[in-house]
Amino acid sequence: MQPSWGYCECPGEWRLPPRRGKGGLFPSPAWSGDSGAAYSAAIKRKDSPCEAAPACKEDSRPARGDMRPRELPGLALPLLLLPPLLPPCPARSAARFDPTWESLDARQLPAWFDQAKFGIFIHWGVFSVPSFGSEWFWWYWQKEKILKYVEFMKDNYPPSFKYEDFGPLFTAKFFNANQWADIFQASGAKYIVLTSKHHEGFTLWGSEYSWNWNAIDEGPKRDIVKELEVAIRNRTDLRFGLYYSLFEWFHPLFLEDESSSFHKRQFPVSKTLPELYELVNAYQPEILWSDGDGGAPDQYWNSTGFLAWLYNESPVRDTVVTNDRWGAGSICKHGGFYTCSDRYNPGHLLPHKWENCMTIDKLSWGYRRDAGISDYLTIEELVKQLVETVSCGGNLLMNIGPTLDGTISVVFEERLRQMGSWLRVNGEAIYETHTWRSQNDTVTPDVWYTSKPKEKLVYALFLKWPTSGQLFLGQPKTILGATQGCVMEMCDLYLLLEEHS
């Protein structure tokens, strides 16, 4: 079945397609002066204070080394220090935000996000049906015509087969939201981010603006977003988040706008913006993870207008966090937290809150049937990513790709449960921690630091068991009789801390 793109062309203007009767959204003048390209919801404002972690100071890039632990990937070593390390974060009263980056960037990030440290990314969609090569399958096959994708289709499907024909095959037959939620809870993650719509345009909810190219009308015939939202909120203590691709590779309106160098704005007016409002109002995600600007600037997407509504009027205005992918040129520059690039791990302290979004499968975000065991990161490698990221002030967003029928493959589930086992022992040194004055040790490689200033604690996380049985630390400045060192138990192993300054 061909996707129905859902727009109405009238002489001289573009209008939203008619809704199916749910109501809740209506056109209103946009904040940034685009004559109705933004939409708002009639929701009463409720003010509340907003907190965030203090900003970091720049630090030098640390040395990196290999990690070959003996039992589990690492230990967390707390050091009790008497003087406080960081000043308390001042409280801030709620304020309204203008549709400008200057105003929006001044919003303090809700404190929960910095405290959470670890989340799960879930890439799932029609691309999970071919499950070959990459979640960019459609683009590589039809646009770039990469040989291995062309040959895959030639060898496995009839010549008349179109990408849209994968839609009915995306069955989600064994999708069990409660089972997913239990696995995510066991992983130790504190939030999830589900791809509500990737660049292919297929929505995992019954979008009013994606007729017959959504999970209600095609494939699963289920509201995937709703089922997972309910399971996460009823069965776990995780925060629920959604990824949303601003553009769509082959949507005719986007392609027409692109051909006009984005002077036309048909696609964001009739598709992107109304879907964003629909998502926020219907599912109230506390993470809104934008992606895929298609080379268009934020003015084309009216990103600042939407974010002003999100922070001022939306039902999640007090708790929602956003990333930095809101138009060409905004990444690593504007937004709530920075992602900067996929698999971003700078290895040093940044002055702004950031997130390392990365994949267990080294080569793809979506599930691949052609993946080999060596294509998956080991638990030791994943723990190393987590420790380095948190020590440098970031969060780790670790990605899995479910199968077309809605199962989480054994290798992904194993990695998630292994991470949960590690965090049950060492989570004290990860959750709700702050960066310390040094991110890694200068004497012993593969030692990283976190801190809890209020408790006057510093944690040394080491990723390589010392062959001598003693760990020498160069960064802590000890005071005789005042500094205490202790070691968390792990696999019946203990470490003798020898002071070294």
Side-chain angles (χ1 to χ4, degrees):
M1 182 180 294
Q2 296 290 329
S4 174
W5 302 110
Y7 65 92
C8 174
E9 184 174 4
C10 304
E13 64 178 350
W14 285 91
R15 296 179 182 172
L16 281 173
R19 297 179 59 84
R20 294 199 286 257
K22 292 183 181 178
L25 297 175
F26 54 88
S28 71
W31 289 279
S32 51
D34 61 354
S35 301
Y39 299 80
S40 65
I43 300 172
K44 187 176 179 181
R45 172 68 181 162
K46 177 184 176 183
D47 291 334
S48 66
C50 173
E51 297 180 355
C56 304
K57 295 182 179 179
E58 288 289 347
D59 196 6
S60 59
R61 185 179 181 88
R64 293 178 180 265
D66 65 341
M67 177 185 62
R68 296 184 179 89
R70 288 186 176 179
E71 299 291 334
L72 286 181
L75 292 175
L77 174 68
L79 303 175
L80 182 62
L81 302 184
L82 294 180
L85 300 172
L86 292 172
C89 181
R92 172 179 173 171
S93 59
R96 292 189 66 83
F97 299 94
D98 298 325
T100 65
W101 285 123
E102 181 181 10
S103 178
L104 297 169
D105 289 345
R107 178 181 183 256
Q108 289 187 340
L109 201 68
W112 74 261
F113 183 75
D114 182 59
Q115 295 166 358
K117 306 301 182 187
F118 176 45
I120 302 298
F121 217 169
I122 309 154
H123 272 67
W124 200 30
V126 172
F127 52 80
S128 304
V129 179
S131 55
F132 176 81
S134 169
E135 73 287 350
W136 279 54
F137 183 93
W138 193 3
W139 180 264
Y140 293 152
W141 168 41
Q142 291 287 348
K143 182 66 176 180
E144 296 192 7
K145 301 187 185 303
I146 295 176
L147 183 60
K148 77 171 187 176
Y149 294 90
V150 174
E151 290 184 342
F152 173 84
M153 291 303 297
K154 182 179 179 181
D155 294 342
N156 295 282
Y157 297 92
S160 61
F161 196 94
K162 297 180 174 59
Y163 188 83
E164 293 89 335
D165 296 325
F166 284 124
L169 304 178
F170 179 50
T171 63
K173 181 178 180 180
F174 300 118
F175 170 59
N176 185 325
N178 290 339
Q179 184 181 56
W180 281 26
D182 293 345
I183 293 172
F184 298 151
Q185 180 75 35
S187 75
K190 297 302 181 182
Y191 61 97
I192 68 158
V193 178
L194 171 70
T195 52
S196 66
K197 186 196 79 169
H198 201 256
H199 311 324
E200 65 188 10
F202 188 90
T203 67
L204 295 188
W205 83 101
S207 168
E208 300 282 346
Y209 311 97
S210 189
W211 299 327
N212 75 26
W213 194 233
N214 65 75
I216 295 291
D217 296 337
E218 190 73 280
K221 303 295 178 69
R222 300 162 65 176
D223 189 337
I224 300 296
V225 174
K226 186 64 178 179
E227 290 185 35
L228 189 57
E229 179 222 344
V230 170
I232 290 295
R233 288 179 167 148
N234 287 349
R235 299 175 68 90
T236 77
D237 59 359
L238 280 70
R239 306 270 182 161
F240 181 73
L242 292 173
Y243 164 108
Y244 180 85
S245 174
L246 298 176
F247 90 128
E248 297 171 20
W249 284 318
F250 302 111
H251 196 297
L253 287 185
F254 178 77
L255 296 177
E256 187 175 340
D257 289 352
E258 184 181 37
S259 67
S260 74
S261 299
F262 301 114
H263 293 298
K264 291 183 179 180
R265 301 184 58 254
Q266 302 162 117
F267 182 70
V269 170
S270 61
K271 187 69 160 64
T272 302
L273 287 164
E275 279 190 340
L276 281 170
Y277 287 104
E278 186 178 57
L279 271 179
V280 173
N281 283 312
Y283 307 106
Q284 301 188 18
E286 293 185 273
I287 308 102
L288 192 57
W289 216 99
S290 176
D291 191 28
D293 57 50
D298 65 87
Q299 295 88 346
Y300 169 80
W301 301 109
N302 190 34
S303 297
T304 56
F306 170 75
L307 290 172
W309 170 83
L310 185 70
Y311 296 163
N312 290 326
E313 308 295 342
S314 81
V316 289
R317 58 190 171 270
D318 294 326
T319 58
V320 70
V321 295
T322 62
N323 65 341
D324 55 351
R325 304 186 182 194
W326 294 97
S330 70
I331 193 167
C332 217
K333 183 178 179 182
H334 296 299
F337 60 89
Y338 292 169
T339 62
C340 298
S341 66
D342 292 347
R343 302 175 180 86
Y344 182 68
N345 185 7
H348 60 87
L349 201 60
L350 297 182
H352 192 94
K353 182 63 187 180
W354 61 282
E355 182 182 70
N356 175 6
C357 61
M358 48 75 68
T359 58
I360 297 176
D361 180 345
K362 302 173 187 176
L363 303 178
S364 176
W365 297 84
Y367 175 74
R368 290 189 304 135
R369 289 179 290 170
D370 56 322
I373 190 63
S374 61
D375 291 334
Y376 297 101
L377 293 176
T378 65
I379 184 57
E380 291 83 9
E381 291 169 321
L382 293 171
V383 167
K384 181 179 175 70
Q385 286 277 327
L386 175 66
V387 169
E388 290 179 358
T389 297
V390 173
S391 294
C392 295
N395 282 17
L396 186 74
L397 186 62
M398 190 171 75
N399 179 76
I400 64 167
T403 65
L404 68 91
D405 53 16
T407 60
I408 296 174
S409 66
V410 172
V411 66
F412 287 135
E413 181 175 349
E414 180 186 52
R415 295 296 186 271
L416 293 175
R417 293 189 182 277
Q418 287 173 325
M419 184 67 84
S421 296
W422 188 88
L423 283 167
R424 279 194 293 276
V425 174
N426 298 287
E428 178 186 332
I430 298 295
Y431 303 125
E432 300 183 19
T433 59
H434 296 264
T435 56
W436 195 43
R437 59 176 172 79
S438 295
Q439 280 60 68
N440 66 316
D441 199 71
T442 54
V443 172
T444 303
D446 291 322
V447 175
W448 297 80
Y449 293 105
T450 62
S451 71
K452 289 183 177 177
K454 290 184 179 179
E455 291 85 353
K456 302 176 182 176
L457 283 171
V458 172
Y459 297 92
L461 297 101
F462 55 102
L463 302 174
K464 192 175 182 181
W465 187 262
T467 56
S468 66
Q470 295 180 326
L471 182 67
F472 293 89
L473 301 177
Q475 287 304 309
K477 305 303 179 185
T478 60
I479 302 174
L480 186 63
T483 303
Q484 301 178 26
C486 57
V487 179
M488 294 182 180
E489 180 179 358
M490 183 181 243
C491 296
D492 298 324
L493 294 175
Y494 294 86
L495 176 69
L496 172 65
L497 172 66
E498 181 172 317
E499 293 181 1
H500 182 83
S501 58

